[in-house]
Amino acid sequence: MSEKPYPSERHRSIAESWIEERDMSAPPQEIPRQSFQEALAITPLPSGKDGEGRPVKRYMSQQPAWKPGDDLPWEALFSSLDGPRPKHGGPGVFGGHVYAQAPLCAARSLEQEEQHWSNGKPQGKLGIHSIQGVFTAPGLKDRPFVYDVAPLSDGRSFSARIVNARQPQEPSKEPLGPFPASDADLPLKGVCFSCITTFKRSHPVIDDVQSTQSAQETYADILSTRAPHEWDLSPQTDVDMIKELFPNAGHGAFPILDMHKVDMTEFNAGKPIPERRELIYYRLMKPLDEDDVNGHIVCHAYEADRNGLIMCGNHLGYGYNLGVAASLSYSFYVHVNPEEMVLDTERWWIQEITWPRVNAGRCMMESKLWSPEGKHIASGYQDGIIQPDKFSGGYGKL
């Protein structure tokens, strides 16, 4: 441990003492976890108009967003420490919450409109085709997100909606949730997330072209060594130092999905960062109606936003000196008909992650999502800030 680049001797002392004295035989703390129906539940609000007079449908989140690292035993780690306690995380919640819930609101608004079609309604499910999002401010856990959904374009087979998310300027009177609808009447801060969500109706397959080998085939030698659920759970916060402090900490309260991280250490050894890979198995934690194709699609988007940038930080050598990691923009594209995106609680899907470019304090992450049958069903492209701590030459947070 002495060679690990802790930012100060104080940090090193805290970590080494904790690691020496912790009880490794203690099982992870069991914390209740919410299903999709609970975690991403939304309340419809009275409609309004935007600045251009266009109709705007409004929704509000009902439950606090999950926050990475909140479920780890930080109090026990710092119990013997006098004076100020090291910072161990930023204010923001998991960005995947708003990234999934905003397009879900767009989908619900469009699904409602679909019900008013005449007998000439087009055939095929209208499912999310892409999510093109921009993060402008951290989301806070103690208050809801309020979503404004406005039409961008409409057609028989292709539609688009723009969604802006904001939060009240003050915490909810029910900060642990469910949030009362009256929270939406409080003065709101500026936009913290905005996205364009496009929708495409199912279409007969004409050609089907993808990579010669699926992730299951490319990494068969590794994946065949264990069943999906036998790999370690995805870390609550995938930063090297935090993983060393709290190994096998369990799911925590992470909702909706079960996620397991494949050990790619041997595969990645000695390779340049753009040639390294991380693989995540995932499936639904609890059932979701298979007819709710847009609910299933946003579950995939929710999963694909977890831990990606900070895993790049580990490969860059920032695992013990990480300063800033934050998404700036994120685009998610569905490549198949929406009914092919339906998850369940039995079969395991795979996220394949790579980082083809790092420059100017930013990282570009690419994700490919693979069905249990080896079909490339969606891709994600995320650009975000990733930097070591600039003040201490090391990670200024524990």
Side-chain angles (χ1 to χ4, degrees), residues 23-78:
D23 182 5
M24 291 296 293
S25 64
Q29 181 184 3
E30 290 292 333
I31 300 174
R33 301 168 62 207
Q34 295 181 332
S35 65
F36 163 85
Q37 294 88 337
E38 296 164 321
L40 295 183
I42 53 177
T43 300
L45 300 170
S47 299
K49 293 185 180 294
D50 65 10
E52 299 179 7
R54 296 176 300 181
V56 172
K57 293 183 179 178
R58 304 184 75 225
Y59 301 86
M60 189 191 80
S61 60
Q62 294 183 13
Q63 296 290 343
W66 179 73
K67 186 176 179 182
D70 253 18
D71 307 320
L72 297 172
W74 296 103
E75 288 300 317
L77 174 65
F78 298 135

Side-chain angles (χ1 to χ4, degrees), residues 33 222-234 248 250-251 257-263 279-285 345-350:
R33 301 168 62 207
I222 300 170
L223 300 179
S224 63
T225 62
R226 303 185 202 179
H229 70 277
E230 293 176 338
W231 297 99
D232 287 345
L233 295 173
S234 289
N248 303 317
H251 291 285
L257 299 156
D258 290 331
M259 296 175 61
H260 292 258
K261 183 181 179 183
V262 176
D263 185 354
L279 301 178
I280 309 293
Y281 275 115
Y282 67 98
R283 67 182 182 186
L284 280 177
M285 180 185 71
T345 58
E346 299 295 329
R347 301 179 305 151
W348 292 95
W349 302 63
I350 292 179

Side-chain angles (χ1 to χ4, degrees), residues 1-192:
M1 280 181 49
S2 60
E3 298 179 358
K4 292 169 181 173
Y6 290 98
S8 71
E9 287 305 313
R10 181 168 180 259
H11 288 80
R12 183 186 305 280
S13 176
I14 295 170
E16 291 184 347
S17 176
W18 167 262
I19 291 170
E20 182 179 346
E21 298 175 5
R22 68 190 175 195
D23 182 5
M24 291 296 293
S25 64
Q29 181 184 3
E30 290 292 333
I31 300 174
R33 301 168 62 207
Q34 295 181 332
S35 65
F36 163 85
Q37 294 88 337
E38 296 164 321
L40 295 183
I42 53 177
T43 300
L45 300 170
S47 299
K49 293 185 180 294
D50 65 10
E52 299 179 7
R54 296 176 300 181
V56 172
K57 293 183 179 178
R58 304 184 75 225
Y59 301 86
M60 189 191 80
S61 60
Q62 294 183 13
Q63 296 290 343
W66 179 73
K67 186 176 179 182
D70 253 18
D71 307 320
L72 297 172
W74 296 103
E75 288 300 317
L77 174 65
F78 298 135
S79 60
S80 61
L81 182 65
D82 294 327
R85 298 187 172 189
K87 185 179 179 182
H88 58 79
V93 298
F94 173 48
H97 182 100
V98 69
Y99 192 79
Q101 199 167 48
L104 181 65
C105 291
R108 296 301 186 239
S109 72
L110 202 54
E111 290 162 358
Q112 185 181 35
E113 294 169 22
E114 284 262 285
Q115 295 175 1
H116 299 293
W117 277 80
S118 65
N119 293 334
K121 176 181 175 180
Q123 297 298 308
K125 291 182 180 294
L126 190 61
I128 293 172
H129 155 261
S130 72
I131 308 165
Q132 300 169 55
V134 178
F135 297 86
T136 55
L140 303 178
K141 187 175 182 177
D142 60 3
R143 63 202 72 184
F145 292 96
V146 178
Y147 299 97
D148 289 346
V149 182
L152 197 59
S153 69
D154 280 304
R156 291 179 65 84
S157 63
F158 187 85
S159 295
R161 295 290 181 271
I162 185 166
V163 186
N164 289 320
R166 296 183 291 171
Q167 289 189 293
Q169 295 178 11
E170 60 187 72
S172 173
K173 292 182 179 179
E174 300 291 340
L176 301 180
F179 299 124
S182 57
D183 281 350
D185 298 326
L186 297 170
L188 300 177
K189 300 195 294 182
V191 172
C192 61

Side-chain angles (χ1 to χ4, degrees), residues 238 261-265 268 276-280 311 315 351-355:
D238 201 339
K261 183 181 179 183
V262 176
D263 185 354
M264 299 293 286
T265 304
N268 290 328
R276 300 180 192 181
R277 298 292 184 271
E278 296 290 357
L279 301 178
I280 309 293
M311 283 194 286
H315 288 289
Q351 179 192 17
E352 179 186 6
I353 307 166
T354 184
W355 304 273

Side-chain angles (χ1 to χ4, degrees), residues 190-387:
V191 172
C192 61
F193 175 78
S194 183
C195 74
I196 294 174
T197 304
T198 61
F199 298 83
K200 183 73 175 68
R201 206 171 291 280
S202 297
H203 191 279
V205 176
I206 300 172
D207 292 297
D208 187 1
V209 180
Q210 66 174 42
S211 302
T212 306
Q213 288 191 315
S214 66
Q216 289 90 335
E217 294 169 320
T218 302
Y219 311 104
D221 288 348
I222 300 170
L223 300 179
S224 63
T225 62
R226 303 185 202 179
H229 70 277
E230 293 176 338
W231 297 99
D232 287 345
L233 295 173
S234 289
Q236 295 179 37
T237 303
D238 201 339
V239 175
D240 283 342
M241 184 166 69
I242 295 178
K243 290 188 295 182
E244 184 176 38
L245 290 171
F246 308 112
N248 303 317
H251 291 285
F254 183 77
I256 303 175
L257 299 156
D258 290 331
M259 296 175 61
H260 292 258
K261 183 181 179 183
V262 176
D263 185 354
M264 299 293 286
T265 304
E266 185 175 343
F267 176 88
N268 290 328
K271 289 184 172 66
I273 290 176
E275 296 178 15
R276 300 180 192 181
R277 298 292 184 271
E278 296 290 357
L279 301 178
I280 309 293
Y281 275 115
Y282 67 98
R283 67 182 182 186
L284 280 177
M285 180 185 71
K286 294 181 180 179
L288 173 60
D289 185 350
E290 65 180 19
D291 287 333
D292 184 7
V293 292
N294 289 312
H296 286 270
I297 290 170
V298 301
C299 286
H300 288 282
Y302 189 89
E303 182 280 334
D305 192 37
R306 189 182 182 193
N307 281 335
L309 292 178
I310 57 178
M311 283 194 286
C312 181
N314 293 332
H315 288 289
L316 288 166
Y318 302 167
Y320 287 78
N321 66 340
L322 181 63
V324 180
S327 298
L328 296 173
S329 61
Y330 187 10
S331 295
F332 184 86
Y333 296 92
V334 175
H335 306 310
V336 296
N337 283 325
E339 46 270 44
E340 295 186 67
M341 299 291 286
V342 173
L343 295 149
D344 57 50
T345 58
E346 299 295 329
R347 301 179 305 151
W348 292 95
W349 302 63
I350 292 179
Q351 179 192 17
E352 179 186 6
I353 307 166
T354 184
W355 304 273
R357 191 71 171 107
V358 178
N359 192 27
R362 304 197 320 274
C363 166
M364 189 272 179
M365 182 185 83
E366 178 180 353
S367 291
K368 292 181 179 179
L369 303 187
W370 299 89
S371 75
E373 297 77 27
K375 180 173 284 191
H376 181 189
I377 52 96
S379 298
Y381 303 91
Q382 185 174 13
D383 187 84
I385 300 169
I386 184 78
Q387 298 174 15

